[in-house]
């Protein structure tokens, strides 16, 4: 297989690239703009592999995308490039609209132009796998689960931009016959995750004896999936998924944020004991505006149709992840010292009193 992967220098993209280059010997064209969230160190193990080529390019650049399609002549595209941090989307939504919506549009159009020049057989085999999130479904009631037919109800600038891109992908299938498939996956964790996201942030703050910020009461539920399980799901879907379909991907591991943080503290205390238990570092801080209360995926469709199962339980996956951060300080230290040191993002600035007042009026 010759595959274009966008966002392949990010957390999930780099895990997918490493797997497909090393374990499947697929030919990968890795297209990434190298934003703050990218890290070429995550690709060190494949950077000189003959079946991996890196293209430093912006998915919003139509001419660059056309040139890459013409050069690679791919059998598939797996589209992961995106702005991904909800807190950053609250402070500045423009980049999210640009990359996640306009960039996806540019890529779909480049794929459509490319497909129009393929013969029937190659066009029939081509796949455009659009990688999205369960956050597009909004917040669930206790005990409920997201299925593929759950209505969209995005509530943050990030999830709204991903929802728009999902609709573009399905519209390009319905209108132009572009063979798109969309996946909606729950929260990922694992090695090489940029330390602004909950799990690596807590691991590194705990390691350095810094406060462990928990938003609000910490009772928000997220459904955690090891990144390598996401990678096997995406691989199976690009090979065997049905075009025009969506697949929910989740690890059947819904858990309150506070429990996740306590898990990490226990794993770290076991691996690197300290004088005081790390859970003493937990502090409850102001909640994220519009924070969704509960996400939980029903992955029955991908399990029954494609035989996909997770290989990592949360308990072993989190212990392995904590161990990876302990053993790979050279990966995260430059990020903590230079790119992002752990400060709070995503609080409302001057608009806050107006919004608070509006909420009060509504109530
Ligand atoms: P990430 O932030 O770690 O990586 C995103 C990558 O995209 C970076 O390497 C960045 O440089 C690149 N990128 C950003 N803008 C670009 C542009 N305009 N052109 C080219 N490259 C660009 O993200 P991630 O956590 O690996 O997520 C990857 C995808 O999976 C995203 O689409 C995200 O919405 C989706 N997703 C993530 C999660 C999760 O828990 N992390 C869960 C479900 C779905």
């Amino acid at each position: 297989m010759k595959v274009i992967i966008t966002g392949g220098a990010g957390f999930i993209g780099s895990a997918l690239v490493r797997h497909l280059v090393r374990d499947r010997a697929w030919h990968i064209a890795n297209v990434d703009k190298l934003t703050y969230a990218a890290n070429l160190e995550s690709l060190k193990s494949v950077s000189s592999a003959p079946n991996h080529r890196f293209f430093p390019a912006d998915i919003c650049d139509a001419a660059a995308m056309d040139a890459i399609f013409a050069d690679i002549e791919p059998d598939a595209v797996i589209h992961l490039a995106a702005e991904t941090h909800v807190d950053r989307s609250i402070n500045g939504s423009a980049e999210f609209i640009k990359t996640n919506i306009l960039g996806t549009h540019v890529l779909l159009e480049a794929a459509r132009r490319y497909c129009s020049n393929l013969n029937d057989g190659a066009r029939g085999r081509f796949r455009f796998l659009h990688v999205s999130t369960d956050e597009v479904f909004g917040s669930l009631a206790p005990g409920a689960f997201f299925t593929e037919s759950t209505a969209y109800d995005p509530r943050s600038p990030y999830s709204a931009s991903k929802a728009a891109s999902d609709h573009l992908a399905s519209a390009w299938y319905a209108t132009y016959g572009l063979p798109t498939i969309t996946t909606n996956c729950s929260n990922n964790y694992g090695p090489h995750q940029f330390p602004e996201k909950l799990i690596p942030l807590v691991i590194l703050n705990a390691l350095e004896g810094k406060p462990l910020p928990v938003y609000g009461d910490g009772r928000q539920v997220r459904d955690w999936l090891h990144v390598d399980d996401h990678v096997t799901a995406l691989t199976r879907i690009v090979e065997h998924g049905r075009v025009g379909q969506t697949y929910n991907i989740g690890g059947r591991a819904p858990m309150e944020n506070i429990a996740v943080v306590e898990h990490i503290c226990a794993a770290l205390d076991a691996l690197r004991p300290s004088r005081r238990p790390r859970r003493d570092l937990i502090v409850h801080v102001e909640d994220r505006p519009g924070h969704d209360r509960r996400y939980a995926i029903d992955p029955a469709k991908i399990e029954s149709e494609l035989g996909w199962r997770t290989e990592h339980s949360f308990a072993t996956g989190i212990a392995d992840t904590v161990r990876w951060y302990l053993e790979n300080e050279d990966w995260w230290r430059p990020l903590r010292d230079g790119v992002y040191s752990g400060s709070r993002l995503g609080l409302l600035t001057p608009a806050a009193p107006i919004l608070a007042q509006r909420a009060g009026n509504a109530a």
Side-chain angles (χ1 to χ4, degrees):
M1 287 272 274
K2 287 184 293 179
V3 179
I4 292 177
I5 293 180
T6 69
F11 166 48
I12 302 168
S14 67
L16 182 64
V17 168
R18 291 190 303 272
H19 171 64
L20 295 179
V21 167
R22 289 191 314 222
D23 308 331
R24 300 296 304 271
W26 288 7
H27 287 261
I28 301 301
N30 185 348
V31 177
D32 198 296
K33 178 184 164 183
L34 298 178
T35 68
Y36 78 95
N39 195 338
L40 289 174
E41 288 297 306
S42 307
L43 295 166
K44 222 162 55 181
S45 63
V46 295
S47 57
S48 54
N51 55 333
H52 177 247
R53 283 175 70 191
F54 186 75
F55 293 84
D58 187 336
I59 58 164
C60 299
D61 180 343
M65 294 306 111
D66 282 341
I68 294 169
F69 273 91
D71 181 350
I72 301 299
E73 299 182 344
D75 304 302
V77 173
I78 309 180
H79 172 38
L80 297 105
E83 290 293 335
T84 63
H85 191 36
V86 176
D87 286 344
R88 286 184 195 263
S89 81
I90 293 167
N91 294 137
S93 51
E95 279 305 308
F96 289 73
I97 304 304
K98 203 164 128 202
T99 285
N100 300 2
I101 305 179
L102 301 179
T104 298
H105 174 253
V106 167
L107 205 61
L108 287 164
E109 282 291 84
R112 189 162 79 89
R113 282 190 291 275
Y114 165 72
C115 273
S116 67
N117 292 321
L118 294 178
N119 63 38
D120 288 350
R123 195 178 317 118
R125 286 190 300 275
F126 182 79
R127 295 288 179 272
F128 186 110
L129 174 51
H130 172 63
V131 179
S132 191
T133 164
D134 61 353
E135 304 198 21
V136 297
F137 299 124
S139 202
L140 276 172
F145 289 86
F146 298 134
T147 71
E148 284 75 6
S149 56
T150 301
Y152 275 39
D153 183 22
R155 290 153 42 89
S156 73
Y158 164 66
S159 57
S161 68
K162 291 297 291 188
S165 67
D166 295 8
H167 293 319
L168 291 177
S170 64
W172 258 240
Y173 169 70
T175 306
Y176 304 110
L178 187 72
T180 64
I181 304 176
T182 295
T183 56
N184 296 99
C185 186
S186 60
N187 282 38
N188 284 213
Y189 69 95
H192 300 100
Q193 188 169 28
F194 189 83
E196 66 188 354
K197 302 280 169 67
L198 177 70
I199 287 182
L201 179 70
V202 167
I203 294 172
L204 299 185
N205 276 13
L207 193 55
E208 294 177 348
K210 293 184 176 162
L212 309 180
V214 169
Y215 291 0
D217 64 3
R219 307 288 299 276
Q220 309 86 358
V221 173
R222 297 294 179 266
D223 191 350
W224 293 95
L225 182 73
H226 193 281
V227 65
D228 291 340
D229 284 325
H230 192 182
V231 162
T232 60
L234 294 176
T235 308
R236 195 154 302 184
I237 289 167
V238 83
E239 285 183 301
H240 305 295
R242 286 185 291 142
V243 298
Q245 295 285 309
T246 67
Y247 291 89
N248 283 359
I249 308 172
R252 295 187 187 275
M255 205 176 303
E256 289 183 347
N257 284 345
I258 187 73
V260 170
V261 173
E262 284 170 353
H263 242 94
I264 294 169
C265 290
L268 201 51
D269 288 346
L271 288 164
R272 189 166 296 180
S274 71
R275 265 179 298 130
R276 287 172 56 205
R278 261 58 172 233
R279 57 174 303 171
D280 288 358
L281 297 168
I282 293 173
V283 285
H284 290 265
V285 298
E286 186 179 340
D287 206 353
R288 168 189 282 165
H291 206 173
D292 289 336
R293 201 65 186 161
R294 175 181 155 87
Y295 300 150
I297 285 266
D298 174 0
K301 179 174 174 180
I302 183 173
E303 289 176 351
S304 63
E305 260 190 34
L306 302 178
W308 173 81
R309 293 285 184 283
T310 57
E311 286 175 10
H312 301 264
S313 72
F314 185 77
T316 58
I318 207 72
D320 291 348
T321 303
V322 169
R323 197 173 300 112
W324 186 87
Y325 279 91
L326 288 176
E327 290 169 358
N328 287 279
E329 184 167 348
D330 55 340
W331 184 89
W332 55 261
R333 178 59 68 193
L335 304 178
R336 287 278 280 191
D337 290 348
V339 188
Y340 173 67
S341 61
S343 60
R344 178 72 196 265
L345 300 168
L347 286 177
L348 298 177
T349 39
I354 300 165
L355 289 173
Q357 194 185 336
R358 242 187 243 147
N361 290 346

